[in-house]
Structure formats: structure tokens, C-alpha cells
Amino acid sequence: MGKSTLVTGITGQDGSYLAELLLDKGYKVYGLRRRTSMPMMENIGHIAKEIEFIDGDLMDKGSLDYAVKVSRPDEVYNLAAQSFVGSSWDQPALTGQITAIGVTNILEAVRLNKPDARFYQASSSEMFGKAVETPQKETTPFYPRSPYGVAKVYGHWITVNYRESYNMFACSGILFNHESPRRGLEFVTRKVTNAAARIKLGLQDELRMGNLDAKRDWGFAGDYVKAMWLMLQQEQPEDFVVSTGETHTVETLIEIAFSHVNLNWRDYVVIDPKFVRPAEVDLLLGDSTKAKEKLGWKLEVGFEEMIRMMVENDLRLNR
Ligand code: GDP
């Protein structure tokens, strides 16, 4: 019999790529799904028949106990979160409940019901925030700059703590920004690629943006879920940084997306203070030497190729 796995956040970008990978490898995939009035199946509709969905929520401990009891997972991937940095200022306490305390809830469900399951926590480069060194690696101290970043620091440390307290196989993957055609429209990459496509098609006439000087280390989500899986296949549980080792400004991202459809971005982009954040993360650049050496992980899709792929996909969707 194949291994069993429980994935929280299965309907999100990463959940969908990870589910494809796990199904390919012969896993039985259980996905924790939050009940919403409108189904959120765009990312996983194509594989929904192969996934066993369990309705539940990181805030509802009973539902997590049930999910772990039913799935008897060999591996648990905690990808669920309030994951948008911008919203974390509007809903700081909710972000803390889900993105921080939610990690304890799922760890407890695993500890009490299937303590030998291997556990992956989706940690984030946002924990580095106002980065104290560049590039950032596993040993770089955290300095989060948003309620989201603060909550992710909690999630990281509670994962480390369960490993050290209970000897659980719990790993924290510190993933830098990772994008794809399945990225939510509120994130800057997809917002830009979708706008470039819509402006090209005459469906939109401007793009309102915040800070164009911020720099990010953007990789392709399809490559990053492979690192998650590899972390749980090691002999010892450890934490890893996953990044491309390249950084680009938001302006460069816009430039690539607009030039792909032969437009001059300066004719369309308007700065709107609404999209400027109360505190900014100016520069993220990761050093993933450890992941490359110990996991044998490698990048397949580069930044520019990914942005072009996203614009092409948005042209198709908007046509
Ligand atoms: P984050 O790194 O998780 O916050 O990912 P985002 O994709 O939300 O934002 C990346 C960077 O783009 C941040 O530094 C934002 O301040 C910057 N940015 C500039 N304009 C915008 C915008 O209109 N929307 C978003 N989401 N980010 C923007």
C-alpha cells in the first residue's frame, strides 16, 4: 500500500502542486478543506477526484483530530494559513489565530493521534523581514515586519519546539516567495501579470501599485513543493531555506511582464498609497546552499521564464 498524507491548505497554490507531486508518487492524498460558500476549486479541480477531502479548519481542533485519525498519515504538510501579508494588517488577530496558533493545533492533533507522522511546516522568508544579513540562510536571525511575519515566526518555533520536546519528525521549510499561474490575484506577481494581459486585451487601462523598489527572491512554486517533500524523506528532521539566490525589484517584474506583451509599463502604472504597506520588507535574498547540498534540490524554472508563463496564462484566461 502507498503512503498516506494529509495536506492542509490543499486548495491553495502550493497545496495543488504538492498534491500533484504526491499523487504522482503513489500517495493516498487527504486534503483538509475549509468550508466556504463558494467552492475554491480552481487550483485542484483537475485532480479533485483523486483527493479525499476532509472538511475542517486549523481553528477547530476536533476537525484536526478527526482528519489525522481518518487519514493515518505518514506525512503531514501544513500549508494552510492566512497567507497574504497585506491583509495581515487588516486582520492581525485572525492572522495570529490561523497562521500561528493553528500550527500548534495541527501539531497537537498529530502528537496525540499519530506521533510518528512526519510533519512539514510552511515557514516563510517574511520571518527575515528587516533582514539583519544578506543573503538570508537557516542561521539568520528573524526580524518580522508584519503581523503575518510575526505569526510565521511563532509557527516556525513551535515546530522546532515539538521536534525538541517530543522527538517528532517536524521540519520547517523557510521558503522564499514562490509564484505560478495559480497564485492568488492579490499577490504582486499575479496582480502584475494579470494586469499586463488585461491591458493588452483592452479590458483594463491602468495598474495601481504600491512600492516598486521592494526586492524579492521569486521562484516557481512547482519547484518549491519538491523541496517540501525532500525534507520529509531525510534521515533527520531539519529546517531548510529554499530560494533562487537571485533578487529583483517589483519594477523589474513589471518591466518583464509588460514587455512580454509589447507595452511600455510607464504608460499604465499609477502609484496608489493604498497599496503601500505600514512597514515594508525591502530586500529578500536567500541562500539555499544547504537545501542544494543535503536535499539535492534544484531549480528548474527561472524568474523571467516564470513571469512570461504567468502572462501567457493570464492572456488565455482573460480571452
Ligand atoms: P510578500 O513578499 O509575501 O509580501 O508578497 P507580495 O506579492 O504580496 O508583495 C511583494 C512585494 O511587492 C512587497 O514588498 C509589496 O510591498 C510590493 N508591492 C508593491 N505594490 C504592490 C501591490 O500592489 N500589491 C502587492 N501585493 N504587493 C505590492
Side-chain angles (χ1 to χ4, degrees):
M1 265 222 331
K3 285 186 179 172
S4 173
T5 178
L6 174 64
V7 180
T8 75
I10 189 121
T11 56
Q13 167 187 261
D14 293 6
S16 68
Y17 284 109
L18 181 66
E20 285 173 5
L21 178 95
L22 295 169
L23 288 168
D24 266 0
K25 291 188 182 293
Y27 282 76
K28 168 85 183 160
V29 177
Y30 291 85
L32 191 77
R33 184 172 59 174
R34 216 159 19 102
R35 194 261 158 193
T36 49
S37 53
M38 297 287 281
M40 312 256 284
M41 299 293 279
E42 306 95 276
N43 289 334
I44 49 165
H46 62 295
I47 47 171
K49 283 201 184 79
E50 298 165 74
I51 296 170
E52 193 84 47
F53 292 102
I54 302 175
D55 284 344
D57 192 297
L58 286 187
M59 294 294 84
D60 187 330
K61 289 187 197 151
S63 74
L64 300 178
D65 279 333
Y66 177 78
V68 174
K69 280 184 178 144
V70 165
S71 58
R72 305 289 306 156
D74 296 291
E75 296 171 13
V76 176
Y77 295 86
N78 184 40
L79 310 185
Q82 190 303 91
S83 63
F84 184 48
V85 171
S87 293
S88 77
W89 279 282
D90 302 327
Q91 303 185 74
L94 181 72
T95 300
Q97 289 294 323
I98 300 168
T99 306
I101 302 299
V103 187
T104 305
N105 290 342
I106 182 78
L107 278 165
E108 276 292 276
V110 174
R111 180 177 78 85
L112 296 170
N113 299 293
K114 187 76 171 63
D116 63 335
R118 295 185 169 205
F119 181 86
Y120 174 85
Q121 166 59 14
S123 288
S124 162
S125 56
E126 286 292 314
M127 303 191 303
F128 297 123
K130 193 168 192 283
V132 304
E133 66 178 0
T134 297
Q136 297 87 46
K137 49 183 185 284
E138 290 80 4
T139 51
T140 303
F142 301 137
Y143 190 150
R145 288 275 275 177
S146 62
Y148 168 84
V150 173
K152 281 288 182 187
V153 170
Y154 176 100
H156 170 82
W157 283 117
I158 199 70
T159 302
V160 173
N161 182 259
Y162 269 57
R163 180 167 77 218
E164 295 177 355
S165 301
Y166 303 115
N167 208 20
M168 283 169 62
F169 195 110
C171 305
S172 168
I174 306 173
L175 272 50
F176 281 61
N177 297 53
H178 45 286
E179 319 294 315
S180 75
R182 302 183 196 168
R183 193 53 144 151
L185 285 166
E186 67 275 34
F187 291 87
V188 76
T189 49
R190 186 77 196 289
K191 178 174 170 175
V192 167
T193 61
N194 188 50
R198 290 178 59 84
I199 292 170
K200 183 69 184 178
L201 297 171
L203 301 170
Q204 183 174 326
D205 48 27
E206 63 175 23
L207 167 60
R208 305 188 81 83
M209 296 291 302
N211 172 21
L212 305 190
D213 298 326
K215 290 182 163 172
R216 289 289 182 279
D217 179 330
W218 280 292
F220 173 56
D223 288 341
Y224 284 37
V225 298
K226 293 177 189 159
M228 298 178 184
W229 178 79
L230 284 167
M231 281 179 220
L232 297 197
Q233 314 312 313
Q234 302 306 298
E235 274 177 24
Q236 296 297 327
E238 282 183 66
D239 308 322
F240 291 87
V241 157
V242 181
S243 64
T244 70
E246 263 182 44
T247 191
H248 303 275
T249 61
V250 172
E251 186 176 308
T252 302
L253 152 72
I254 296 173
E255 163 91 50
I256 293 171
F258 277 70
S259 63
H260 186 69
V261 287
N262 300 313
L263 294 175
N264 181 354
W265 67 271
R266 290 177 196 276
D267 298 337
Y268 304 96
V269 172
V270 179
I271 301 303
D272 184 338
K274 193 170 89 185
F275 296 107
V276 177
R277 293 172 175 182
E280 180 62 289
V281 171
D282 296 320
L283 167 74
L284 291 176
L285 174 63
D287 175 353
S288 55
T289 306
K290 182 181 172 188
K292 285 183 187 131
E293 287 179 356
K294 280 202 167 171
L295 303 177
W297 175 76
K298 57 182 188 306
L299 279 170
E300 281 168 32
V301 180
F303 174 66
E304 198 168 326
E305 182 187 354
M306 174 180 74
I307 297 305
R308 292 179 190 282
M309 177 211 302
M310 290 172 69
V311 176
E312 282 299 321
N313 181 68
D314 284 321
L315 284 168
R316 193 174 53 76
L317 291 179
N318 281 292
R319 263 191 195 114

